[in-house]
Amino acid sequence: MKKGASLYLDGITVTFDGFRALNNLSLIVEPGELRAVIGPNGAGKTTMMDVITGKTKPDSGTARFGDHDLTRLDETRIANLGIGRKFQKPTMFDALTVFENLELALKAPRGTLAALHWRLSGEARERIDEVLTEIGLTERAKDRAGILSHGQRQWLEIGMLLMQDPELLLVDEPVAGMTDQETEHTAALLRRIAGKRSVVVVEHDLEFVRALGRKVTVLHEGSVLSEGPIEQVQEDPRVIDVYLGR
Amino acid sequence: MPGISSLRFNLRLLLVALIFVLLLLPPLLNALPAGHPLRVSDFVVAVTGKWICYAILALSIDLAWGYAGILSLGHGAFFALGGYAMGMHLMRNIGDRGVYGHPILPDFMVFLGYKELPWYWLGFEYFPFAMLMALLVPGALAGLVGWLAFRSRITGVYLSIITQAMTYALMLAFFRNDMGFGGNNGFTDFKDLLGVPLNTPSARTGLYLAAFGALLITLLISAHVVQSKFGRLLIAIRDAESRVRFLGYDVTAFKLFVFVLSAMMAGLAGALYVPLVGIINPGEFSPGNSIEAVVWVAFGGRGTLIGAILGAFSVNALKTWLTSFAPDLWLLVLGALFIVVTLFLPRGLIGLIKRRGA
Ligand SMILES: Nc1ncnc2c1ncn2[C@@H]1O[C@H](COP(=O)(O)OP(=O)(O)OP(=O)(O)O)[C@@H](O)[C@H]1O
Ligand SMILES: [Mg+2]
């Protein structure tokens, strides 16, 4: 597993009260790949991440990460396989400080007794400081997460993802609420992570997707509409029709 | 900023120290010679001792509710089960000094025509065994109920209803004579504990100090739990349970751990309470008791530990004072108290003090 596993979705269908949020969706992400997923509102991008992380069970289809059948595992087990997630609406623990949020995310034994006996080692502190610098929140380390601005919350959740050190990062709309400069920083960060890790980024911001400069998957009404380099996808008449042409 | 938070922390420590020093006064002043102006009556010692047991119960509720967000409306059941375990030991200690003079069977069993001790009474003649059961039985019940509820992700008001139903069902069960726990009369007329007659001043002081020590120890254990990473995870679970799962933590295991620990603390409180008050009956399981204990915690300020202790003492002091002249008013006042806290004091008494401190 250390070399990284590939993510394999095949024929995934999810319905909510008869409405097909995902319709026979298939997608493969190779180890170390950086993949952007775009698509109009309601295309099923977030639902796809829900299926991969065990939040939503598909009605039919296959979802595998390496040898593991993701449809049979719960969120905890899937997270421990090395799949980390940043939510579209940044979600963290508001009553805890920025530092404590990162500490909880830090890769370490997850058991109850381990948590009772946990001592912050120098190494762990260094790693947290490193990530604090990376996400630009060093000054806010002792502040409660609840008082951060939207953009800072985005950064904190990205930081939590980095602390988890997963093999596959699922990043849902990371640059919403960020300045142009921050957006560039995020793109550079994700490019740097990819290679050692696999990354799937959902984003509406086409500038950002261009800055990532890798393969793009376009979702529409729950299935893949088009896939390829951004230049090619942009030329695709079907894509222009439903998404870019508006 | 760190200056203010450490100031608050010291204020809290000061408050804890003050409470524990004050709690040493009743037995000390009770030991003064009769007629001394500062001497307090036996009644004061007995009542304060009872409140200390309530404070341990409040602490256990705060651990589950204030930190992990598990609002149990059935903690009175764990308290009562601990009380019954101790009560069984006290009944066995009576020996042949009962009304019927039976060497082994308690009076109510002779009266109901029992020929021998039911199997589940075996071992309770030994004090350590009874104490162990006072912890293990509530712990096992909490483990079972918690496991069923938490793994099905039952939270919030549904969990509260389940725990409330649990204590109600136990109350009905313990009311039945054929359960072998004395039916609606429960256990009383205890004689002695560890060889000391219960109606002596030294027994009273000893029981008081035992409760005092138990409060101190349970507070230290709770403080250790909530100040560890485990405690920060409880807060995380309270505020965003699902998010914790995506970090790879087994939320069910964490909730179960704290729920069982909390139930054992409540059981200990009940075991200390029964010899102090000299009686245990199924009324201790009544749903209202559990709700009242939650009000103590809400009033003192949840999620602070010390607030729970403060709440247990202040609400019970109010109750003792009020019921001495207008017992019918108590339920009204309790309800009003809950409304006032919910609307105006969401952080309880401790919130008031903190605001001052800052
Ligand atoms: N739990 C749910 N119950 C009912 N319908 C849902 C649920 N989750 C998602 N949907 C619906 O499924 C469709 C796909 O939603 P999804 O959130 O996956 O879209 P998205 O591509 O992430 O859109 P956006 O760009 O707005 O984030 C939407 O029409 C949404 O309303
Ligand atoms: Mg979405």
Side-chain angles (χ1 to χ4, degrees):
Chain A
M1 286 275 295
K2 209 59 234 141
K3 267 251 128 214
S6 49
L7 175 71
Y8 176 84
L9 301 182
D10 188 37
I12 297 279
T13 298
V14 171
T15 52
F16 295 114
D17 303 319
F19 171 76
R20 288 190 173 218
L22 291 182
N23 187 5
N24 200 18
L25 174 79
S26 302
L27 179 85
I28 294 177
V29 178
E30 302 291 348
E33 188 179 346
L34 169 56
R35 173 75 61 94
V37 176
I38 60 174
N41 291 112
K45 306 180 295 289
T46 299
T47 306
M48 178 187 82
M49 292 196 169
D50 289 346
V51 169
I52 299 170
T53 53
K55 190 179 179 200
T56 300
K57 298 289 167 215
D59 301 328
S60 61
T62 311
R64 310 188 65 84
F65 183 60
D67 302 330
H68 302 276
D69 180 354
L70 298 175
T71 62
R72 303 170 67 102
L73 301 175
D74 65 9
E75 300 95 315
T76 303
R77 299 276 300 279
I78 292 175
N80 286 321
L81 290 181
I83 298 183
R85 174 170 186 185
K86 184 213 148 307
F87 287 78
Q88 181 167 353
K89 176 173 178 286
T91 320
M92 58 221 47
F93 312 116
D94 291 353
L96 301 178
T97 66
V98 169
F99 188 92
E100 288 167 339
N101 270 278
L102 293 174
E103 187 192 20
L104 289 193
L106 175 69
K107 190 174 195 171
R110 290 309 203 213
T112 47
L113 295 179
L116 266 179
H117 298 135
W118 166 257
R119 288 261 166 278
L120 190 67
S121 67
E123 198 184 336
R125 176 176 289 278
E126 246 168 54
R127 177 76 192 120
I128 294 175
D129 286 342
E130 221 174 271
V131 168
L132 277 170
T133 311
E134 175 83 77
I135 61 177
L137 290 178
T138 307
E139 302 286 299
R140 310 300 302 268
K142 289 200 168 113
D143 289 341
R144 280 167 10 102
I147 63 171
L148 297 182
S149 70
H150 183 74
Q152 288 169 326
R153 289 170 74 79
Q154 291 277 37
W155 277 114
L156 177 52
E157 213 188 9
I158 292 172
M160 288 167 74
L161 196 52
L162 297 176
M163 296 307 310
Q164 272 179 274
D165 191 20
E167 281 185 41
L168 169 63
L169 294 79
L170 305 174
V171 196
D172 203 346
E173 305 208 9
V175 301
M178 284 188 182
T179 63
D180 287 353
Q181 209 179 354
E182 286 177 316
T183 302
E184 256 171 58
H185 179 168
T186 308
L189 176 64
L190 293 179
R191 277 198 312 260
R192 229 182 316 135
I193 292 169
K196 284 170 289 177
R197 316 274 164 217
S198 322
V199 183
V200 176
V201 202
V202 162
E203 193 43 76
H204 279 295
D205 186 327
L206 283 183
E207 275 314 310
F208 176 76
V209 174
R210 235 172 248 124
L212 290 178
R214 308 288 169 86
K215 194 166 166 186
V216 180
T217 298
V218 185
L219 287 195
H220 177 54
E221 292 179 352
S223 9
V224 175
L225 183 70
S226 179
E227 206 165 74
I230 181 85
E231 298 78 17
Q232 178 194 321
V233 161
Q234 272 178 304
E235 308 281 285
D236 188 329
R238 289 169 307 175
V239 175
I240 294 171
D241 216 30
V242 305
Y243 189 44
L244 302 169
R246 284 182 307 173
Chain B
M1 291 310 266
I4 287 179
S5 76
S6 70
L7 178 72
R8 272 190 202 158
F9 181 68
N10 287 338
L11 242 130
R12 239 199 247 189
L13 269 186
L14 212 66
L15 194 61
V16 172
L18 186 69
I19 288 177
F20 279 91
V21 168
L22 283 177
L23 283 180
L24 280 177
L25 289 181
L28 279 177
L29 298 181
N30 180 248
L32 291 171
H36 193 285
L38 285 179
R39 184 178 189 276
V40 302
S41 64
D42 296 351
F43 172 77
V44 170
V45 179
V47 167
T48 319
K50 205 169 88 171
W51 292 350
I52 295 180
C53 299
Y54 289 155
I56 299 174
L57 173 61
L59 201 57
S60 77
I61 291 174
D62 195 28
L63 203 53
W65 180 38
Y67 289 89
I70 305 168
L71 175 51
S72 161
L73 293 181
H75 257 52
F78 303 131
F79 181 86
L81 286 170
Y84 265 93
M86 176 57 86
M88 287 163 83
H89 176 66
L90 293 167
M91 289 304 270
R92 296 288 282 113
N93 277 355
I94 295 174
D96 60 7
R97 287 171 290 174
V99 176
Y100 294 106
H102 195 287
I104 293 182
L105 296 185
D107 278 348
F108 78 89
M109 287 192 192
V110 179
F111 180 75
L112 291 172
Y114 278 68
K115 290 286 166 274
E116 56 180 21
L117 216 54
W119 62 266
Y120 46 84
W121 274 73
L122 298 178
F124 277 91
E125 63 270 36
Y126 303 110
F127 176 77
F129 179 82
M131 275 318 286
L132 197 65
M133 286 300 132
L135 300 177
L136 290 189
V137 172
L141 178 65
L144 179 71
V145 172
W147 184 71
L148 290 172
F150 301 149
R151 71 192 253 283
S152 316
R153 302 194 182 175
I154 294 173
T155 56
V157 83
Y158 299 98
L159 186 90
S160 302
I161 291 171
I162 287 176
T163 52
Q164 178 94 128
M166 171 190 82
T167 193
Y168 188 63
L170 281 169
M171 179 177 75
L172 296 184
F174 274 74
F175 264 125
R176 294 160 50 99
N177 279 329
D178 52 13
M179 277 283 283
F181 295 114
N184 60 352
N185 294 320
F187 308 144
T188 188
D189 290 332
F190 307 132
K191 302 286 188 244
D192 45 30
L193 180 60
L194 296 170
V196 184
L198 284 174
N199 54 7
T200 56
S202 58
R204 221 176 1 254
T205 310
L207 287 169
Y208 184 100
L209 291 178
F212 177 89
L215 178 62
L216 190 61
I217 290 170
T218 49
L219 178 63
L220 288 176
I221 292 175
S222 305
H224 176 74
V225 168
V226 305
Q227 281 167 12
S228 69
K229 186 166 120 179
F230 188 102
R232 294 191 283 285
L233 271 160
L234 293 183
I235 291 173
I237 289 171
R238 179 190 73 194
D239 294 345
E241 176 172 332
S242 143
R243 188 66 183 86
V244 180
R245 290 201 180 90
F246 290 102
L247 289 181
Y249 292 98
D250 181 354
V251 169
T252 304
F254 279 84
K255 288 172 96 170
L256 209 51
F257 189 111
V258 75
F259 196 51
V260 168
L261 175 66
S262 163
M264 289 167 78
M265 280 167 54
L268 174 67
L272 293 162
Y273 172 85
V274 166
L276 269 168
V277 298
I279 183 168
I280 173 85
N281 62 37
E284 290 298 335
F285 285 104
S286 80
N289 282 14
S290 295
I291 295 174
E292 206 167 315
V294 166
V295 177
W296 306 338
V297 179
F299 183 73
R302 70 188 178 113
T304 60
L305 298 183
I306 185 67
I309 295 175
L310 214 58
F313 282 117
S314 48
V315 177
N316 280 294
L318 182 68
K319 180 179 183 177
T320 303
W321 173 72
L322 192 74
T323 47
S324 67
F325 62 91
D328 297 342
L329 277 183
W330 173 239
L331 273 185
L332 274 177
V333 170
L334 187 71
L337 209 59
F338 190 68
I339 292 170
V340 166
V341 168
T342 316
L343 290 182
F344 304 110
L345 278 181
R347 297 173 63 202
L349 283 181
I350 210 80
L352 280 180
I353 296 170
K354 271 192 180 165
R355 211 173 302 162
R356 289 249 177 115

